[in-house]
Amino acid sequence: MARIVGAYATSHVPAIGVAMDQGKTDEPYWQPVFAGYEASRQWMEDLKPDVAIVVYNDHATAFSLELIPTFALGCAERFPIADEGMGKRPVPEVVGHPDLAWHMAQSIILDEFDLTIVNAMEVDHGLTVPLSLAFGQPDAWPCPVIPLAVNVVQYPPPTGHRCLNLGRAIRKAVESFDDDLRVVIFGTGGMSHQLQAQRAGLINPEFDNRFLDLLVDDPEAAAAIPHVEYLRESGSEGIELVMWLVMRGALTPRVTEIHRHYHVPASNTAVGHLVLENQD
Ligand code: DHB
Ligand code: FE
């Protein structure tokens, strides 16, 4: 049987990808950001997962306002890197795991979540920046990746509670797959940030750290945070944090916190990072 062996959550700030691609990680601005990812890079290297499920959001790259799936599961053989307007990032193409992805679609849809099945999709910084942080700069990503895109761009995004329950359905799906796969799950996006209008540049470390504490120890309370509170406290793009709840739901009720990193600022956001393992 397949099982979830660890969870990796991180912000996906595009400038982090640019800093890595351009060899700037040792510069004084970036050094404290990347220092917080060294231990978890080693953790990932030791873990050697067979597959990564990456819960992320598309930023009007693969999907536009013409088509807005709430939850979209990537079932393709491969996912090309998107050109977001500045050329493609020089990172390897993402190779999928169609067998596990189709099994997940079957299990999760029959569990009454109406996933959108995606057979062709380019992936943007929401997915590639977390892969770069976790795996560094290899010639090929070390494992296949199943993208799960969550709409956090156009209101209404899913509730935190719905996201936590989707994570539970993901765990059930993984644990009913016959092959002995060791699966790591990523939650991405956040932390507090607002990219436009009067409050552009908003960062709220108190909210962010409370969210990290709740996510680890009281995920039901984190899941009860309403959209209006994310908006007010963490800025308009802070709503990306609901994706961390999908990751958390895929873990056991109690978890061990392996690693945490929080740094302000990186570009316009606070950077947050958590590594968790199942306890039960
Ligand atoms: C920034 C952060 C994001 O999450 C994003 O998707 C785009 C830009 C930023 O801080 O610049
Ligand atoms: Fe984003």
Side-chain angles (χ1 to χ4, degrees):
M1 143 188 139
R3 64 201 163 90
I4 292 178
V5 292
Y8 184 103
T10 181
S11 306
H12 63 215
V13 187
I16 288 180
V18 175
M20 291 184 74
D21 299 342
Q22 297 184 354
K24 294 183 175 167
T25 56
D26 288 332
E27 289 186 357
Y29 181 85
W30 288 112
Q31 199 279 334
V33 175
F34 288 101
Y37 286 88
E38 283 166 17
S40 54
R41 180 96 42 90
Q42 188 60 51
W43 173 86
M44 190 65 89
E45 205 173 310
D46 295 341
L47 189 71
K48 292 191 180 28
D50 297 311
V51 188
I53 298 169
V54 180
V55 182
Y56 80 108
N57 71 291
D58 179 76
H59 298 76
T61 304
F63 306 120
S64 70
L65 291 180
E66 292 179 3
L67 181 73
I68 308 169
T70 300
F71 298 118
L73 185 70
C75 295
E77 299 270 0
R78 30 195 79 244
F79 303 92
I81 306 301
D83 181 343
E84 297 177 64
M86 311 268 277
K88 294 181 187 203
R89 285 194 63 210
V91 293
E93 192 173 55
V94 173
V95 173
H97 196 301
D99 284 352
L100 178 58
W102 277 103
H103 170 82
M104 286 172 65
Q106 161 107 355
S107 174
I108 294 168
I109 291 170
L110 296 185
D111 231 351
E112 303 184 344
F113 282 87
D114 306 319
L115 294 183
T116 299
I117 294 169
V118 184
N119 290 317
M121 177 167 72
E122 293 189 344
V123 287
D124 72 9
H125 70 271
L127 182 128
T128 63
V129 168
L131 290 187
S132 296
L133 284 167
F135 298 119
Q137 294 170 294
D139 292 334
W141 298 120
C143 65
V145 171
I146 298 177
L148 201 173
V150 178
N151 167 43
V152 289
V153 168
Q154 171 63 55
Y155 271 76
T159 63
H161 196 244
R162 186 75 171 151
C163 288
L164 190 71
N165 279 336
L166 175 62
R168 291 173 177 147
I170 290 173
R171 176 158 160 230
K172 192 168 149 191
V174 167
E175 291 182 351
S176 59
F177 189 67
D178 282 342
D179 290 3
D180 252 354
L181 296 176
R182 300 171 64 260
V183 178
V184 67
I185 183 158
F186 283 59
T188 68
M191 299 219 79
S192 55
H193 61 306
Q194 171 147 344
L195 300 177
Q196 64 272 307
Q198 289 89 335
R199 297 203 308 163
L202 177 144
I203 289 178
N204 183 346
E206 290 73 31
F207 176 89
D208 290 338
N209 284 292
R210 187 176 134 249
F211 182 84
L212 291 170
D213 290 341
L214 287 180
L215 192 78
V216 175
D217 292 326
D218 192 355
E220 289 288 352
I225 298 172
H227 288 150
V228 67
E229 189 174 333
Y230 285 103
L231 266 174
R232 190 177 56 237
E233 300 297 329
S234 71
S236 51
E237 277 66 52
I239 192 64
E240 289 181 346
L241 283 170
V242 293
M243 297 184 289
W244 293 37
L245 285 157
V246 181
M247 173 202 81
R248 182 64 181 86
L251 303 175
T252 55
R254 286 180 307 154
V255 291
T256 304
E257 183 176 320
I258 303 294
H259 180 69
R260 184 191 292 210
H261 173 48
Y262 184 77
H263 178 81
V264 175
S267 182
N268 300 299
T269 92
V271 162
H273 175 36
L274 262 187
V275 174
L276 304 175
E277 289 181 3
N278 289 324
Q279 217 181 81
D280 302 320

